[in-house]
Amino acid sequence: MKEGPDIAQIGALIGDPARANMLTALMSGQALTATELAGAAGITLQTASSHLAKLEAGGFVAQRKQGRHRYFTLADAGVGRLIESLMGFAADRGHLRHRAGPKEPALRKARICYDHLAGDFGVRMLDSLVAGGAIDAADDRLVLTAAGEERLAAFGIDAGQLKRSSRRPLCRSCLDWSERRAHLAGKLGKALLDGFIERGWARRSAESRAIAFSQQGERQFLALFPLAEAA
């Protein structure tokens, strides 16, 4: 028997189309019932329950009970990063199985990736923070600078409190499947997205992972995260 991590088992769990669809649905960051996940996967509730049991045993999903209902979420941010990376790999190799539709442009513009902003706006936000000296991206590591802490404070985010809140990294690079470049994940990525929603700049879509910015919210966002025009 070969030693080391069993990537074949991980691949088998994700590789089933129904389970892949359920994991993708949970990338919205919302807690969903087995019935909702069965609908997302196009399978019966009984079959969905069997798949969810396998995903839970494999460490992909977690469940919690509220009254008579059970809700499922991705187990942690690591699962979200894995799914987003696989989506990027598939898109880069031309393995696309969906048809372009009205939701496609919205998803590419701005969407939720587990708990942070992805898409064109997510990539723009990280690019602007790096260009403005708020984040140091040397050696593929993202580090919040002192100037960045001041910039965040002006937006109402206490970086010191974020650092103390959990052991989760403050800043993490996440490969964006549609832009094929990095966007900002980690505690800071979540805090910024939460801030946009709390201020009314943006709202989550009930039908997809798209994040819809209002006209005023988009102007505020673009002003907060400017990019130098190419010469």
Side-chain angles (χ1 to χ4, degrees), residues 9-28:
Q9 183 179 8
I10 298 300
L13 283 169
I14 300 176
D16 180 89
R19 291 195 288 268
N21 284 335
M22 288 192 285
L23 289 170
T24 301
L26 290 173
M27 285 289 286
S28 67

Side-chain angles (χ1 to χ4, degrees), residues 212-223:
F213 280 77
S214 66
Q215 289 185 350
Q216 181 179 3
E218 183 167 332
R219 287 195 295 269
Q220 297 273 21
F221 178 89
L222 296 178

Side-chain angles (χ1 to χ4, degrees), residues 31-76:
L32 301 176
T33 65
T35 299
E36 291 169 326
L37 289 168
I43 55 178
T44 66
L45 177 59
Q46 182 178 4
T47 302
S49 297
S50 174
H51 283 310
L52 286 168
K54 293 178 181 179
L55 289 172
E56 186 174 13
F60 280 90
V61 303
Q63 66 167 294
R64 62 174 182 263
K65 294 182 179 180
Q66 184 171 329
R68 298 170 56 186
H69 300 284
R70 289 189 304 161
Y71 293 89
F72 294 86
T73 62
L74 295 184
D76 52 41

Side-chain angles (χ1 to χ4, degrees), residues 49-174:
S49 297
S50 174
H51 283 310
L52 286 168
K54 293 178 181 179
L55 289 172
E56 186 174 13
F60 280 90
V61 303
Q63 66 167 294
R64 62 174 182 263
K65 294 182 179 180
Q66 184 171 329
R68 298 170 56 186
H69 300 284
R70 289 189 304 161
Y71 293 89
F72 294 86
T73 62
L74 295 184
D76 52 41
V79 179
R81 292 195 302 274
L82 174 61
I83 301 303
E84 183 79 2
S85 295
L86 286 172
M87 292 172 72
F89 184 90
D92 191 49
R93 298 318 192 267
H95 301 299
L96 303 174
R97 58 183 176 81
H98 65 274
R99 296 179 181 176
K103 295 179 181 178
E104 180 72 8
L107 284 171
R108 288 181 176 273
K109 179 178 180 179
R111 67 180 179 275
I112 190 167
C113 175
Y114 183 59
D115 63 359
H116 55 270
L117 185 65
D120 176 64
F121 273 28
V123 171
R124 178 194 177 100
M125 182 173 70
L126 178 56
D127 285 349
S128 178
L129 289 170
V130 171
I135 288 180
D136 183 356
D139 300 323
D140 293 327
R141 292 178 63 250
L142 302 183
V143 179
L144 183 65
T145 65
E149 293 195 21
E150 294 181 4
R151 184 171 173 181
L152 290 174
F155 186 67
I157 294 177
D158 184 339
Q161 184 177 0
L162 277 183
K163 293 176 183 178
R164 297 188 297 268
S165 62
S166 70
R167 297 178 61 183
R168 183 182 177 188
L170 179 66
C171 301
R172 184 186 287 275
S173 174
C174 185

